Amino acid sequence: MQDIMDTIKARDAGEREFHQAVGEVVASVKPVLDSHPEYRHHKILERLVEPERVILFRVAWMDDRGHPQVNRGFRIEMNSAIGPYKGGLRFHPSVTLSILKFLAFEQVFKNALTSLPLGGGKGGSDFDPKGKSDNEVMRFCQSFMAELYRHIGPDTDVPAGDIGVGAREIGFLFGMYKKLRNEFSGVLTGKSLNWGGSLIRPEATGYGCVYFAVEMLKTRGRSLEGKRCLVSGSGNVAQFTIEKLIGLGAQVITLSDSSGYIFDEEGIDENKLTFVKTLKTVRRGRLKEYAEAYPGAVYTPADPDAASNPLWRHKADCAFPCATQNEINAEDAGHLVAGGVHLVAEGANMPTMPQGVDLFLDSRVLFAPGKAANAGGVAVSGLEMSQNSMRLRWPRAEVDGRLQMIMKNIHASCLAAAEQYGMPGNYVAGANIAGFIKVVDAMLDQGLV
Ligand code: NDP
Ligand code: 2IT
């Protein structure tokens, strides 16, 4: 185990987030390797941590002032043992190879947990859509796809959205793919409804995360009714996490963006959520405006030098981090536990740092790692692919019903795997082990390729 970590630290020097994601999985699957010598014999871990293919390319585009701009584009095709590469595209200035490799690695196990035939991948760019006009975003997306189109396809690699990539970007990317290939296919998911998208895909990650939380609470005879909930982020995942929490009678008292956070003691109701959706998705504004619209709420600007995030200091029952990676450190986790939080479900990918995860597990917090709790998004992407292949569209209730069933099944498989390997109730170990076994057995079946 130590050898693997030493090797990737030397070979992939500086890829901090990738090391973090691999470290967690490697630690979880040790008992599986101990009882399956064939996995070690076939060097399964060594093969898993090496992407099948990494594509890195220049994205040149013209801004509105007529100035050329250059960004970097990436697609990590991590593992195709159980299906075509599948995973989102992230457009954010913080994007690096390390971040996309960690996301692609997590995606492999997450996609296996959905029980759908989806391999793992991730991509994106250090392009920042903030402050760009629609025309600039369109030109960037067209240039990005002018390279990516030769590497993807409905049976090869099917990208979707992630941070900074929503319905607008998917539309521009799809338009360019269709023009270059002369093909109308299910090559991207998260498409708009009237040209191949699936009902419930926009809601899926947030709703799925709450469905997972409901399952965890049931194991202790509890429900979400009347629970005070902390949510971070205010994008796609946060919005629909809040929507489902409100629907199930919980009270949501926080949300955030990269500039600061809102504390609304009275709770975010449906009207306030509609305001947030319009603000963030249509007007692309800053959350600060929430406190101007609702004077009962308090806005606190983000302090990048602070040792901890004050959002996690509010007393609550449940927490749903839905913004980005490493947004809960050990100190934040300590505040959450001290403030009464007994459930944490990760809507974002890897929002909790390893020491925070350990603290939650030691404190018997019901803790759902992102690769289990946020798998509803990619699961409904898988259902969008099925509908595209059949040239059919399922009704809302059908997709939502399938999503609920998938989240229940993921919850059950995590618990069963954790129990089988002597770590009952540990959803981190359970998710890693259940996802790992499915992928590595497929790799062994397919030989050394
Ligand atoms: P969006 O772009 O819709 O929203 C992202 C939100 O997080 C925004 O509120 C944004 O603030 C905030 N944010 C982003 N980066 C940072 C940062 N570095 N520091 C502080 N705040 C930040 O993205 P999504 O909602 O789609 O994604 C959120 C998380 O969920 C990510 O971890 C993503 O990987 C994960 N995820 C997404 C899925 C999906 O289907 N979309 C599926 C599964 C996981 P601001 O408005 O200021 O940018
Ligand atoms: O992290 C994720 O699972 C996503 N961004 C969604 C991926 C997808 O293909 O729908």
Side-chain angles (χ1 to χ4, degrees), residues 75 86-90 103 107 110-111 118 121-122 158-163 189-190 201 205 237 347-349 370 374-382 385:
R75 186 73 184 165
K86 181 85 196 84
L89 296 171
R90 177 177 292 191
L103 288 163
Q107 198 82 46
K110 181 196 303 191
N111 293 4
L118 304 169
K122 199 85 186 190
V158 183
D162 192 79
I163 291 178
T189 59
R201 177 62 190 88
T205 311
V237 179
N349 285 306
N374 72 37
V378 75
V380 175
S381 278
M385 289 164 70

Side-chain angles (χ1 to χ4, degrees), residues 11-314:
R11 190 193 251 178
D12 305 318
E15 295 181 8
R16 197 171 47 86
E17 295 84 1
F18 181 57
H19 303 161
Q20 183 183 334
V22 173
E24 183 200 283
V25 171
V26 166
S28 290
V29 301
K30 185 174 180 306
V32 185
L33 296 192
D34 290 344
S35 57
H36 289 270
E38 71 275 19
Y39 292 158
R40 279 212 174 88
H41 175 74
H42 287 284
K43 292 238 181 335
I44 265 311
L45 271 184
E46 289 82 343
R47 289 156 64 184
L48 264 183
V49 299
E50 195 60 24
E52 290 179 14
R53 192 176 296 110
V54 173
I55 302 147
L56 212 161
F57 50 101
R58 178 177 68 201
V59 187
W61 56 282
M62 192 74 84
D63 70 19
D64 286 345
R65 295 169 308 160
H67 294 169
Q69 298 286 341
V70 180
N71 286 97
R72 193 168 273 183
F74 304 84
R75 186 73 184 165
I76 318 297
E77 297 185 334
M78 199 70 174
N79 193 299
S80 61
I82 60 172
Y85 309 107
K86 181 85 196 84
L89 296 171
R90 177 177 292 191
F91 293 170
H92 193 273
S94 64
V95 161
T96 58
L97 183 62
S98 170
I99 288 185
L100 295 180
K101 278 178 69 182
F102 115 64
L103 288 163
F105 187 74
E106 293 276 292
Q107 198 82 46
V108 171
F109 306 97
K110 181 196 303 191
N111 293 4
L113 287 171
T114 66
S115 71
L116 300 172
L118 304 169
K122 199 85 186 190
S125 175
D126 58 359
F127 172 75
D128 187 359
K130 275 205 199 78
K132 304 288 189 302
S133 69
D134 286 350
N135 277 328
E136 287 177 322
V137 170
M138 180 179 75
R139 286 195 295 274
F140 172 81
C141 288
Q142 291 177 339
S143 179
F144 184 87
M145 188 53 86
E147 173 59 34
L148 190 66
Y149 85 98
R150 47 184 116 244
H151 308 288
I152 63 175
D155 296 314
T156 311
D157 184 351
V158 183
D162 192 79
I163 291 178
V165 178
R168 174 182 63 168
E169 291 74 17
I170 292 293
F172 294 146
L173 291 163
F174 184 85
M176 194 63 179
Y177 179 88
K178 180 165 64 71
K179 183 179 171 76
L180 292 170
R181 287 261 186 190
N182 192 26
E183 163 195 298
F184 194 111
S185 67
V187 66
L188 293 165
T189 59
K191 300 185 290 299
S192 288
L193 279 182
N194 56 357
W195 49 271
S198 174
L199 286 156
I200 298 289
R201 177 62 190 88
E203 295 88 342
T205 311
Y207 280 19
C209 184
V210 177
Y211 295 149
F212 198 94
V214 168
E215 290 303 306
M216 290 202 292
L217 286 168
K218 273 193 209 159
T219 66
R220 295 198 185 161
R222 294 178 172 182
S223 80
L224 279 166
E225 177 86 47
K227 296 291 184 312
R228 273 164 70 93
C229 298
L230 307 176
V231 175
S232 66
S234 49
N236 171 271
V237 179
Q239 290 169 17
F240 290 102
T241 295
I242 296 174
E243 183 166 291
K244 187 51 76 178
L245 285 171
I246 296 174
L248 294 180
Q251 194 196 27
V252 181
I253 53 175
T254 62
L255 76 175
S256 67
D257 66 16
S258 51
S259 310
Y261 86 95
I262 291 289
F263 171 59
D264 188 342
E265 176 86 76
E266 292 163 11
I268 299 164
D269 60 18
E270 279 172 18
N271 290 335
K272 293 172 179 175
L273 179 59
T274 303
F275 173 88
V276 173
K277 286 183 180 171
T278 311
L279 174 70
K280 297 308 280 186
T281 315
V282 182
R283 291 199 284 121
R284 299 177 191 277
R286 310 309 296 158
L287 207 49
K288 199 177 171 187
E289 287 186 38
Y290 183 104
E292 289 153 16
Y294 303 104
V298 180
Y299 175 75
T300 308
D303 174 2
D305 299 323
S308 65
N309 180 348
L311 188 158
W312 306 121
R313 269 184 231 156
H314 295 281

Side-chain angles (χ1 to χ4, degrees), residues 342-390:
H342 59 79
L343 176 144
V344 178
E346 296 187 331
N349 285 306
M350 208 170 74
T352 313
M353 297 175 83
Q355 304 85 338
V357 173
D358 291 344
L359 187 85
F360 290 145
L361 296 178
D362 292 345
S363 312
R364 289 202 72 248
V365 168
L366 290 166
F367 175 73
K371 62 171 78 70
N374 72 37
V378 75
V380 175
S381 278
L383 302 180
E384 182 172 331
M385 289 164 70
S386 307
Q387 294 169 80
N388 291 166
S389 296
M390 292 188 294

